[in-house]
Amino acid sequence: MRHNVTAAPTLLVTGGNGQVGFELRRSLVPLGRVIALDRSQCDYLCLDDLRRVVRSVCPDVIVNAAAYTDVDGAESDIETAYAVNGIAAGVLAEEASALGSLLVHYSTDYVFDGRKAEPYVETDPANPLSVYGKSKLAGEEAIAAAAPPALVLRTSWIAGAHGNNFVKTILQRSRESSNLSVVADQVGAPTTASLVADVTAQIISRFWLGGGRTSFPAGVYHLAAAGEVSWHGYSVELLRYAAALGVDMKINPARIEAVPASTYPRIATRPENSCLDTHKLRQTFGLHLPDWQSGIHHLLEQILL
C-alpha cells in the first residue's frame, strides 16, 4: 500500500501504558500522528481484533511495546506469554508487511543463557532459560518469517518513571528497613525506558521517515546503556544518589549486603550475564549510548524531585 507522503505519518504504538510505551507517547509526537493503545483498547490475545485495529489505522510505523513481562508468572502462564510475546508479534509483522510499514519490536537479553563471558552480539546463538525468554525469541522468529521491514531491538534491565520496576522497589525498601541484601552474581546494563524511546524515535525519523525506506537497515540490534554492573552495585549507586538528592532512608548504601542469586531462588532462571554489545546499533545509526549511571541519575531526579 502506498502512503500519502505529503501528510503527517501515522505511528501506532501498542502497549502504550507500559514503561517503554509511555515514553514512546512522548518521543514520537514530533514525528507525526501517534495512536497509542493499551489492553483496554486492543486485546492482544484476540488476533482478529489486533488485525482490525492495524488495518483501520493504516500506520506508516508500528511500534510494538506490548509484552508479557512477568518472568516468573510466565512459567505457569505459558499460553498467554507465547500469545502476547510470540503470536501477536507475528500478526503485527504480517500486517506491517502487507501495508509496507515499518515494524519496531522490543526483545530482551533473556533470549541468551548468560553463560558467555563477554557481552552478547546479535549473531550469538540464542538459548533462553525461561518461558519468558523463549516466548520473546518466538516473537523474533515470527517477525523474521513474515519478513516486513523490521527493527528488533533487544534491551536489558528496563526502568522508567512510569510503572513498577527495580528502582522503585529498592527505594521503597530503603525507607522501610535498615537491612538489605541484593544479588551480586548477575550483571547487566540498567537501561531507562526514556533512552529506548528516544533512540527509537531517532532511528524512525532519520532512517525511515527521512526518505531511506528502500535502504532501511532492518534487522536485530542490541540497545542498552553503556557499562555493566551487578544488581548489588546497581542498588548501591541508586541509594547513594538518592541520598545525595536528600531522600531519607534507613539504610546506609555502603552496607547493602552482596549475596549470590541462590540466596533468593526464583521460579524462572535468570541469565548471569545480561550484557549486550551495542556496537552494531551505534555504528549503523550513528548514535551515542550514555553510561547507565547518567540515565539512572536522571530517572531518580524524575521520580524524586
Side-chain angles (χ1 to χ4, degrees):
M1 176 177 292
R2 293 179 62 84
H3 296 277
N4 183 355
V5 295
T6 62
T10 298
L11 302 98
L12 176 65
V13 177
T14 63
N17 205 36
Q19 291 192 97
V20 174
F22 185 83
E23 293 292 344
L24 287 166
R25 287 158 51 188
R26 167 193 56 80
S27 69
L28 297 179
V29 165
L31 306 186
R33 184 171 69 109
V34 177
I35 299 175
L37 305 174
D38 60 25
R39 291 183 182 178
S40 67
Q41 299 163 304
C42 179
D43 184 356
Y44 309 131
L45 299 178
C46 179
L47 303 184
D48 289 339
D49 189 36
L50 191 57
R51 291 186 191 277
R52 177 190 57 78
V53 169
V54 175
R55 292 173 187 179
S56 65
V57 173
C58 194
D60 296 88
V61 180
I62 301 170
V63 186
N64 183 31
Y68 184 104
T69 57
D70 183 349
V71 178
D72 288 324
E75 294 297 310
S76 58
D77 196 5
I78 299 172
E79 184 176 352
T80 304
Y82 271 91
V84 176
N85 294 340
I87 299 172
V91 167
L92 289 174
E94 292 168 3
E95 295 302 313
S97 183
L99 290 169
S101 305
L102 172 67
L103 173 65
V104 180
H105 174 79
Y106 301 104
S107 191
T108 174
D109 53 300
Y110 279 34
V111 299
F112 299 114
D113 60 22
R115 297 179 181 126
K116 184 181 178 182
E118 299 81 27
Y120 283 92
V121 297
E122 289 81 356
T123 54
D124 281 327
N127 184 33
L129 302 174
S130 63
V131 169
Y132 168 72
K134 292 173 183 176
S135 68
K136 293 298 287 183
L137 180 59
E140 292 188 17
E141 293 170 343
I143 291 169
L151 190 70
V152 175
L153 300 174
R154 291 176 180 151
T155 63
S156 69
W157 294 21
I158 295 294
H162 179 77
N164 298 318
N165 51 57
F166 181 79
V167 172
K168 294 180 181 180
T169 298
I170 292 298
L171 287 173
Q172 182 64 31
R173 291 181 180 175
S174 75
R175 297 183 176 109
E176 297 172 344
S177 175
S178 59
N179 297 304
L180 184 62
S181 56
V182 182
V183 171
D185 56 357
Q186 294 174 349
V187 297
T191 304
T192 61
S194 59
L195 175 63
V196 173
D198 289 340
V199 167
T200 300
Q202 285 282 331
I203 293 174
I204 292 172
S205 175
R206 291 162 54 185
F207 291 87
W208 181 255
L209 301 178
R213 297 186 183 194
T214 57
S215 59
F216 183 80
V220 177
Y221 293 86
H222 290 170
L223 167 53
E228 62 180 68
V229 69
S230 69
W231 290 110
H232 173 265
Y234 184 12
S235 302
V236 171
E237 180 59 19
L238 280 174
L239 296 190
R240 182 202 67 78
Y241 195 70
L245 294 177
V247 174
D248 185 22
M249 59 184 71
K250 293 184 177 181
I251 188 169
N252 181 339
R255 295 189 176 181
I256 299 175
E257 183 184 6
V259 299
S262 59
T263 303
Y264 298 110
R266 307 292 293 272
I267 297 173
T269 303
R270 272 74 168 168
E272 292 183 6
N273 175 20
S274 284
C275 298
L276 300 174
D277 188 311
T278 63
H279 176 78
K280 179 184 174 184
L281 182 139
R282 289 181 286 112
Q283 183 179 55
T284 302
F285 299 110
L287 295 173
H288 168 69
L289 296 175
D291 60 77
W292 67 266
Q293 293 95 327
S294 61
I296 294 304
H297 291 173
H298 182 68
L299 175 59
L300 284 171
E301 290 164 8
Q302 283 183 291
I303 295 172
L304 298 172
L305 298 182

